[in-house]
Amino acid sequence: MSASAIDTIVAPATPIGRSALAIVRIDGPLSASILKSLSGAAPEPRYVALVELAHDSQHIDHCLAVRYEAPHSFTGNDLVELTLHGSSVIVGEVIRAAIALGARFAEPGEFTERAVLNGKLDLVQAESIADLINARTSLQASLSLANLEGSLSRKASAVRESLLHVISRLEAALDFSEEGYEFISSGDARAMIERAVADSSALLETYRRGRASRSGLDAVILGRPNAGKSTLLNRLVGSDRAIVTPIPGTTRDIVRETIEIGGLPVTIADTAGLRESGDVVESIGVERARRAAEAGDLILYLVDASAGLTDEDHKELARWPEAWVVYTKTDIKPVAADAIGISVVTEHGVDELLSRLDQFVRERFAAPEGSLVNERQYQAVAECVDALRAAIASIDAGHDEQIILVDLYRASTALGLLTGAITRDEVFDEIFSKFCIGK
Ligand SMILES: Nc1nc2c(ncn2[C@@H]2O[C@H](COP(=O)(O)OP(=O)(O)OP(=O)(O)O)[C@@H](O)[C@H]2O)c(=O)[nH]1
Ligand SMILES: [Mg+2]
């Protein structure tokens, strides 16, 4: 896309409201001339200038302006960033003036989309910008930052490059088949594809953690009425979020709160006590509790230590084999040393429960850098693995290069969807730049 073929767009880059400062970005071919019209200034690219903004003889603000020249900007286009006083009135006036001077209001994500179209970012990096902005914990932020800096893209590129290597040699073998050259043995091609399968399968395995790390986890507190579920939720959250009474059956609907455990946001659901009940509302609550547990990542099954494990508890626990059994009210009756016991009255065992949870979340769900974090990324790599397996099956069946190439192109296109398109030009570059054919 040539720079002159695109619109000039304008939008605030900071939330609208009262703040010390607000940033407005103008991107596209008219950005510098809009700045000149508003301020009379044409600052040196990448230098901060203090300018007075006015439009239609009306003074708008004095602000800091930075002008970037294509391709050396976030979007790769000519770009202007104005740091204004953080008033929504000023922001509105600047945007209206820019629109009067030829810009249009940007679509959501359009600046980042332009950065992708200009090759400044790949798709994974663009997605990680949104994730970074939405991060609720420092672990989420550092994972998103790592992907923005290319952790995942580099892994995908390494696989893609090894595929290009095989593809280019098989293509060359086709082009020069009459001369009887062999550019790669089928054993070597198979071994390289096997390695690509192993690498991309390892990438697929990062998804369970990556997804959990990006979206957080759901923990569900289950147990018989009066077990102390709402009391535990309140203790974990640090406020009287749920109603606590000595009356069994107090909680009816699910009460959810999110806290940070093991570096991830964990949404804890306090639920209705599990029992058969003639009360319609309570029965619906029990049904909701079970559904939440089925969908949850972790179940804490609370048992009142002073009452001990009842037959109903045994029956219920048979449905939730993965649940952690946590005995409550250990101030009334202590529990065996190997059991998890807590008392919210004396605080006994609460810190230990928290540190067990912390460790569990870190070990089971915290993702390493360079993980797949969304369904789109997962589907792209899954398609790649599928195609590579088909290519290996074709080699094993003794099919010729053309058939194998179909699946290799499918695999590379799938990886292309992950980061940005793979083109036949790249295959030609690989052939002609690194490959001495001698013609
Ligand atoms: N002594 C003692 N009492 C507790 C403890 N935890 C909870 N309780 C009491 O047990 C009673 C029931 O607590 P809740 O937290 O409402 O129990 P629940 O499991 O949410 O009950 P339902 O909502 O009816 O299912 C309340 O009177 C609490 O004060 C504890 O650690 N020690
Ligand atoms: Mg309750």
Side-chain angles (χ1 to χ4, degrees):
M1 188 185 289
S2 78
S4 57
I6 57 167
D7 291 344
T8 296
I9 55 174
V10 60
T14 43
I16 298 291
R18 288 171 63 237
S19 57
L21 300 170
I23 294 174
V24 168
R25 286 199 290 203
I26 309 169
D27 181 77
L30 298 179
S31 55
S33 73
I34 291 174
L35 174 62
K36 184 97 196 300
S37 302
L38 292 178
S39 68
E44 277 291 292
R46 299 170 153 263
Y47 279 85
V48 180
L50 180 63
V51 299
E52 295 291 336
L53 299 183
H55 183 61
D56 277 350
S57 323
Q58 198 197 327
H59 188 208
I60 301 175
D61 194 10
H62 59 264
C63 74
L64 298 179
V66 183
R67 185 168 76 84
Y68 299 88
E69 259 178 0
H72 306 293
S73 70
F74 168 68
T75 58
N77 301 323
D78 286 346
L79 174 75
V80 166
E81 256 175 35
L82 303 173
T83 304
L84 307 156
H85 290 100
S87 145
S88 54
V89 176
I90 292 174
V91 170
E93 282 175 2
V94 169
I95 287 173
R96 272 192 296 280
I99 289 172
L101 293 166
R104 67 165 168 81
F105 200 73
E107 303 287 338
E110 198 171 4
F111 290 87
T112 309
E113 184 188 14
R114 288 181 166 201
V116 172
L117 289 172
N118 285 330
K120 288 278 171 176
L121 294 173
D122 67 28
L123 286 179
V124 168
Q125 291 173 310
E127 285 172 327
S128 60
I129 290 183
D131 289 344
L132 183 56
I133 291 168
N134 291 326
R136 287 174 286 166
T137 67
S138 54
L139 185 95
Q140 288 182 315
S142 65
L143 280 174
S144 307
L145 188 60
N147 276 359
L148 175 57
E149 284 169 355
S151 281
L152 173 55
S153 307
R154 276 191 295 276
K155 289 187 192 175
S157 303
V159 176
R160 204 184 74 161
E161 266 162 38
S162 68
L163 285 184
L164 277 176
H165 181 89
V166 179
I167 288 173
S168 60
R169 278 150 185 80
L170 291 176
E171 287 275 15
L174 278 181
D175 289 347
F176 296 92
S177 57
E178 310 223 320
E179 286 91 330
Y181 290 127
E182 188 187 58
F183 291 88
I184 186 167
S185 73
S186 88
D188 284 350
R190 194 184 189 289
M192 289 192 78
I193 299 168
E194 281 277 14
R195 226 169 300 136
V197 169
D199 291 346
S200 34
S201 302
L203 210 46
L204 274 189
E205 274 166 29
T206 64
Y207 182 51
R208 187 185 65 75
R209 285 167 176 276
R211 180 179 51 180
S213 294
R214 175 167 176 260
S215 44
L217 299 176
D218 286 307
V220 181
I221 306 179
L222 284 187
R224 303 272 304 150
N226 233 19
K229 299 180 295 299
S230 304
T231 306
L232 177 61
L233 176 82
N234 290 348
R235 168 62 186 79
L236 294 176
V237 171
S239 73
D240 278 340
R241 178 69 180 81
I243 298 171
V244 169
T245 76
I247 306 161
T250 299
T251 304
R252 303 298 187 91
D253 214 343
I254 295 182
V255 180
R256 288 192 170 88
E257 274 296 316
T258 302
I259 60 169
E260 185 174 335
I261 298 177
L264 296 183
V266 178
T267 300
I268 300 176
D270 170 33
T271 60
L274 302 169
R275 68 172 170 188
E276 296 299 320
S277 167
D279 182 314
V280 181
V281 180
E282 189 175 355
S283 302
I284 294 173
V286 168
E287 176 56 31
R288 287 189 177 190
R290 295 205 170 106
R291 251 186 287 139
E294 273 157 19
D297 300 292
L298 168 67
I299 300 170
L300 299 179
Y301 189 93
L302 270 48
V303 176
D304 180 340
S306 63
L309 266 176
T310 61
D311 288 347
E312 287 89 350
D313 285 320
H314 282 296
K315 238 184 272 164
E316 203 57 57
L317 276 167
R319 298 173 70 150
W320 317 107
E322 307 262 294
W324 294 23
V325 177
V326 178
Y327 290 90
T328 58
K329 313 187 191 181
T330 56
D331 51 294
I332 302 175
K333 180 145 188 248
V335 289
D338 57 349
I340 306 175
I342 57 166
S343 162
V344 176
V345 173
T346 63
E347 280 287 304
H348 162 257
V350 175
D351 280 348
E352 200 194 325
L353 174 64
L354 278 171
S355 76
R356 278 184 195 233
L357 287 170
D358 199 272
Q359 195 184 352
F360 174 77
V361 170
R362 283 181 202 282
E363 283 174 4
R364 278 279 287 274
F365 296 106
E369 286 185 359
S371 294
L372 301 173
V373 295
N374 64 36
E375 182 69 18
R376 185 195 74 79
Q377 297 172 355
Y378 177 82
Q379 288 303 340
V381 180
E383 166 82 7
C384 169
V385 172
D386 185 66
L388 292 176
R389 293 220 163 100
I392 289 174
S394 292
I395 293 177
D396 291 346
H399 291 147
D400 65 13
E401 286 91 349
Q402 263 148 335
I403 310 263
I404 300 160
L405 277 167
V406 169
D407 285 318
L408 292 183
Y409 273 117
R410 181 158 72 90
S412 61
T413 303
L415 282 183
L417 284 175
L418 178 66
T419 56
I422 190 171
T423 67
R424 280 186 62 88
D425 286 352
E426 287 177 83
V427 177
F428 293 160
D429 283 352
E430 167 78 14
I431 292 175
F432 294 117
S433 66
K434 297 189 194 148
F435 205 93
C436 183
I437 285 177
K439 290 193 178 177

